[in-house]
Amino acid sequence: MRVFLDFEASSLGKRSYPIEVAWVFEDGRGESHLIRPAPGWTDWDDAAEAIHRIPRRLLEREGEAHEQVAARMVEQLSGHALHASAPSWDAKWLNALLRTCGYPKHHLRLRKTADMIVEDVADILGNKVPPAGRKQAAAAVLAEVCAAEADPPAHRALPDARAELERWKAACSAAEALRARSA
C-alpha cells in the first residue's frame, strides 16, 4: 500500500535530526509522533523552529522516545511503498532515526511522491495518450493539480503528509476525467 510520509527536523544542517514524523496510508489512516531527541542530538536552528513552531523543550517534555518511534515506524511501514515530497531530506532524517536505534541504514526506503504520481497518472491515461507523450502529459496533470492547491505547506508532519495523499488523489481524478473526455 502507498504511504505518504513527512518529517520535521531540528534544522537543515548536516547534524540535523528528526523532531516529528507522520505518515498517511492511501486509505487515509495516519499517525503523527513528536520525537524526543536522542542523546547527542544537539543541533538546533531557531529559524527552523520559527517555521515548524515546535520548541525543543516541547520535544523534551512531550516527545516520544526515539527508540519507540523507530520501532513503531518499522512495525507499521515495513513492506509498504513509502513516498515523500523531499526524499533526500526525509531519508536523511529517517536514516538518522533508524541508525540511532540500531536498524540498518536503509531498513525503510523512500521514493519521491511526484515520481509515483506521474507514473500512476500515466497508467490511468493509458492508450488515450501516445506512449511518447504519456509521461509529459502526466507531468502536466500533476503541475495543474499543484497549481490549483490553495494552501502552502503547513510545515507540520501530519498535515503535509495528508496534503501529499490529497495531491495524489486529485491527480488520479484529473487523469480519469481526461481519459473519459478523450473516450
Side-chain angles (χ1 to χ4, degrees):
M1 182 177 295
R2 288 173 188 81
V3 180
F4 302 86
L5 184 133
D6 189 62
F7 279 98
E8 298 301 324
S10 64
S11 76
L12 294 179
K14 184 176 182 175
R15 299 190 66 219
S16 66
Y17 53 88
I19 63 169
E20 182 182 43
V21 64
W23 56 86
V24 179
F25 286 88
E26 67 182 77
D27 65 8
R29 293 176 293 128
E31 294 185 24
S32 180
H33 302 271
L34 289 175
I35 304 167
R36 186 178 323 123
W41 286 1
T42 58
D43 174 78
W44 193 261
D45 183 355
D46 292 334
E49 181 181 331
I51 293 169
H52 55 60
R53 300 171 309 282
I54 304 170
R56 184 175 168 98
R57 67 185 173 279
L58 176 69
L59 299 171
E60 293 166 348
R61 189 176 62 243
E62 297 179 22
E64 297 173 56
H66 62 281
E67 302 95 342
Q68 180 181 337
V69 175
R72 181 69 178 166
M73 291 182 75
V74 168
E75 172 194 334
Q76 290 294 303
L77 303 178
S78 291
H80 294 283
L82 307 180
H83 301 90
S85 62
S88 60
W89 285 109
D90 290 306
K92 173 190 181 345
W93 299 314
L94 173 61
N95 289 331
L97 179 62
L98 293 176
R99 281 192 322 264
T100 299
C101 297
Y103 292 99
K105 181 178 179 182
H106 293 291
H107 190 77
L108 298 173
R109 292 185 173 265
L110 296 177
R111 188 165 172 240
K112 189 169 185 165
T113 304
D115 293 345
M116 178 271 298
I117 293 173
V118 166
E119 288 173 8
D120 283 2
V121 168
D123 287 345
I124 291 167
L125 295 174
N127 62 6
K128 299 298 179 181
V129 175
R134 198 170 295 144
K135 187 173 181 179
Q136 184 178 356
V141 168
L142 176 57
E144 286 179 28
V145 166
C146 291
E149 292 176 353
D151 298 325
H155 295 292
R156 289 300 301 262
L158 188 58
D160 289 350
R162 286 200 189 285
E164 290 289 304
L165 168 64
E166 294 308 315
R167 185 173 302 121
W168 171 65
K169 287 179 176 181
C172 290
S173 292
E176 293 281 358
L178 183 61
R179 186 178 72 188
R181 282 193 304 270
S182 62

